[in-house]
Amino acid sequence: MAEAAEAKPTIRVMSEALNEDASNKATIFFHGFNTFGASDLVRSIGEGAQQAFEGEQWSVQYNNAPLDAEEISDALNEKLQERHITSVDVVTYSMGDVPGIDAAVDIINNDWRHVESITILSGPADYDGLTEKTKEELSIAKNLAWIPWIEYSTPFRYFAEMYFYKDAIERNPMAAVGGINTRFMNGNVTTNLFLSSQINSISDSDIKGKINSINEDKFRPVINYVKIQDGKDTVVDNDYSAEKICEYANKKGLVCNVFEVNSRHGEYYLSTDEYNAVFEQVGELLRPQVKQEQARYALNLYSYYQLDTVTADDEAE
């Protein structure tokens, strides 16, 4: 596991654009806690998502590298240039909203490309958006992280995996434990070092500040929040998080839509039809909202260049 300390994030192109008109667009997926990247997420819900966003589908691969916003942005910028992308949508799952929103705001503020939407699937509004149960689990993990040998300890990592998946083990012990054992035998398991960086990321996150930092002269993304309905999410407080994120967005003048999906946290692969139905709703609502923003942005650009021309003429006289 020690080689993970030298790893870097990469971008995996999972599918081409839905049609030629969308060949300049990309949907960038960020997965959450304890994942290598978003490949499995895209395979599970990507078909429905592409009907809403239409562009290429990319998975941000963490590759067990400690989370580093600058390295993720560097990898994205390289791929955006390589694939000639001019328009972006961002989709995040669970705690993936922290690096996902970071990357989206970086593109908005520091690039000429447009971020048309940010869709947050059951993501926490910072640390306070987690359930008390999750806060307790992360606190235990954080208190243990300072022990030097734990970063690369496979036995401790196995114990942590059993602990984090205890809800799934209670529902279906044979399947859950079997899955954990298979991942460890195949080496498909995240490191303690990576998990520690994710814990620090959510503990120190500032989604409110990130949204508030969006440059008002730039193209403004539509924010979509997809809640897991009926209190089935034991990881994220969906009601609180949806309310707070929309509050932050609205104060910045951004449109914020809220949807609901019938699923459980982490079990998106069992709820493909449900997510497909939600993405159909997202697409229907999003398209006219993006067109409205395109008109507003174009008018602002026109006004700016008109003012710039008048100023130049005055100076010439």
Side-chain angles (χ1 to χ4, degrees):
M1 287 188 180
E3 65 271 14
E6 303 301 321
K8 290 185 180 296
T10 55
I11 310 302
R12 180 178 295 172
V13 178
M14 300 293 294
S15 69
E16 298 295 326
L18 188 64
N19 52 59
E20 188 174 345
D21 289 341
S23 61
N24 64 328
K25 299 181 64 177
T27 304
I28 306 169
F29 289 78
F30 289 79
H31 212 334
F33 189 73
N34 193 23
T35 59
F36 282 100
S39 297
D40 289 340
L41 182 66
V42 179
R43 292 189 190 103
S44 297
I45 66 174
E47 183 179 350
Q50 193 164 47
Q51 296 302 315
F53 308 117
E54 300 183 342
E56 296 183 358
Q57 296 190 306
W58 299 358
S59 165
V60 175
Q61 297 298 112
Y62 304 129
N63 298 328
N64 258 333
L67 281 183
D68 186 309
E70 186 174 341
E71 288 189 347
I72 290 174
S73 289
D74 287 346
L76 281 172
N77 288 335
E78 183 177 338
K79 190 64 69 175
L80 287 166
Q81 293 178 36
E82 174 191 320
R83 305 286 292 187
H84 308 293
I85 299 300
T86 63
S87 177
V88 166
D89 295 279
V90 172
V91 177
T92 73
Y93 191 87
S94 186
M95 298 184 209
D97 66 347
V98 177
I101 292 173
D102 272 359
V105 173
D106 182 70
I107 293 171
I108 293 167
N109 289 344
N110 301 309
D111 203 311
W112 54 268
R113 296 173 177 85
H114 294 172
V115 176
E116 292 191 350
S117 69
I118 302 171
T119 300
I120 301 163
L121 310 176
S122 312
D126 297 321
Y127 184 77
D128 288 340
L130 300 171
T131 62
E132 292 304 317
K133 165 185 164 293
T134 307
K135 290 176 186 176
E136 182 180 320
E137 291 171 350
L138 294 186
S139 178
I140 291 170
K142 196 170 186 178
N143 287 336
L144 290 171
W146 64 271
I147 303 174
W149 55 265
I150 274 182
E151 283 187 355
Y152 305 109
S153 167
T154 300
F156 177 80
R157 183 65 191 84
Y158 185 81
F159 167 78
E161 194 80 352
M162 296 287 281
Y163 182 76
F164 286 129
Y165 281 90
K166 64 181 184 295
D167 287 345
I169 292 171
E170 287 176 5
R171 287 197 301 273
N172 192 336
M174 290 189 66
V177 174
I180 291 171
N181 288 338
T182 299
R183 288 198 295 277
F184 271 81
M185 283 189 293
N186 294 336
N188 296 327
V189 62
T190 55
T191 64
N192 303 322
L193 180 64
F194 174 59
L195 291 184
S196 178
S197 76
Q198 285 194 309
I199 291 169
N200 290 333
S201 175
I202 185 62
S203 299
D204 301 335
S205 65
D206 181 16
I207 289 174
K208 178 181 180 180
K210 280 291 176 183
I211 291 176
N212 194 51
S213 73
I214 291 175
N215 187 329
E216 295 178 0
D217 293 331
K218 295 300 189 81
F219 191 94
R220 300 184 303 194
V222 174
I223 309 294
N224 300 305
Y225 192 100
V226 180
K227 300 194 299 184
I228 291 178
Q229 64 184 211
D230 300 329
K232 292 180 180 177
D233 195 334
T234 60
V235 177
V236 174
D237 186 336
N238 283 228
D239 289 334
Y240 172 88
S241 295
E243 179 182 348
K244 298 306 288 186
I245 287 175
C246 280
E247 177 187 313
Y248 306 152
N250 292 157
K251 284 184 177 179
K252 194 64 180 176
L254 309 183
V255 174
C256 188
N257 309 309
V258 179
F259 305 87
E260 287 193 353
V261 64
N262 183 17
S263 183
R264 291 183 182 276
H265 199 99
E267 296 186 359
Y268 51 85
Y269 54 89
L270 299 177
S271 312
T272 302
D273 291 342
E274 289 81 355
Y275 275 101
N276 286 347
V278 169
F279 279 120
E280 185 176 352
Q281 298 172 36
V282 170
E284 289 175 356
L285 196 57
L286 180 65
R287 291 183 193 102
Q289 291 173 337
V290 169
K291 286 182 179 179
Q292 186 175 0
E293 174 58 18
Q294 287 170 340
R296 183 205 68 83
Y297 181 72
L299 181 61
N300 277 7
L301 278 182
Y302 176 77
S303 300
Y304 172 79
Y305 284 119
Q306 284 291 97
L307 178 63
D308 192 49
T309 301
V310 170
T311 303
D313 289 344
D314 290 344
E315 289 176 352
E317 292 176 3

